[in-house]
Amino acid sequence: MAKRIVIPLGAVGLAFGTWYGFHVLSAVNGTLGAPCDEAALFVRAAGLPAGTHERQCTRGQWMSASYELDFHAPREATDAWLRTSYPDMELTHDCEAADACATPRPSPVPYTDKDGHRLADVVDVELSYEGEGVTRVRISGATM
């Protein structure tokens, strides 16, 4: 006679609930991994600068959608990329945790990309200048 394996339905429900809860909390906390190209589009940036490395991008959603980008890139490439992405942006050096920062004002139009995905209404940029001509870039954006 063959042995039967019985998995209690409660265990299946617990496993699913744990998985679902993890993903919901990750979205609420803004720690859910996201493709960096998707995050750059959301914050209305021109892709990512040439030579980008050590990149980490996350997304979150609760009352609004949000994305964060954190990466390193050569300083010259970063400067050119910022001028292309946010031409009217003015950097300030009066920042709490960065060498330079800004809050570019994205144009209110368009509200969505060509596929209908919502774009950021608010964007914050922080730059930290590291050795050997490298800049650490942190950008966050959210809908309102």
Side-chain angles (χ1 to χ4, degrees):
M1 176 181 230
K3 290 186 177 185
R4 293 187 329 178
I5 298 175
V6 178
I7 300 174
L9 287 178
V12 173
L14 179 63
F16 176 76
T18 301
W19 173 85
Y20 183 76
F22 169 78
H23 282 82
V24 168
L25 286 175
S26 294
V28 170
N29 293 333
T31 58
L32 199 58
C36 287
D37 294 339
E38 179 181 307
L41 175 65
F42 180 80
V43 297
R44 302 169 184 242
L48 292 177
T52 297
H53 59 282
E54 297 178 50
R55 56 187 182 172
Q56 179 178 351
C57 299
T58 56
R59 65 185 162 119
Q61 179 143 7
W62 177 241
M63 302 286 269
S64 66
S66 64
Y67 281 81
E68 291 188 12
L69 296 88
D70 187 344
F71 59 88
H72 293 78
R75 187 167 181 176
E76 288 181 14
T78 300
D79 292 344
W81 173 76
L82 285 170
R83 283 191 301 275
T84 300
S85 297
Y86 309 110
D88 299 328
M89 180 178 78
E90 293 184 30
L91 288 172
T92 180
H93 299 284
D94 186 25
C95 313
E96 280 187 38
D99 295 319
C101 56
T103 304
R105 302 287 179 222
S107 170
V109 177
Y111 295 105
T112 59
D113 67 9
K114 62 181 171 61
D115 296 324
H117 300 113
R118 188 84 159 85
L119 299 176
D121 297 314
V122 178
V123 175
D124 290 313
V125 177
E126 291 184 349
L127 306 174
S128 297
Y129 303 121
E130 299 181 350
E132 300 180 24
V134 173
T135 302
R136 180 180 181 193
V137 180
R138 290 180 304 277
I139 300 179
S140 60
T143 58
M144 301 205 32

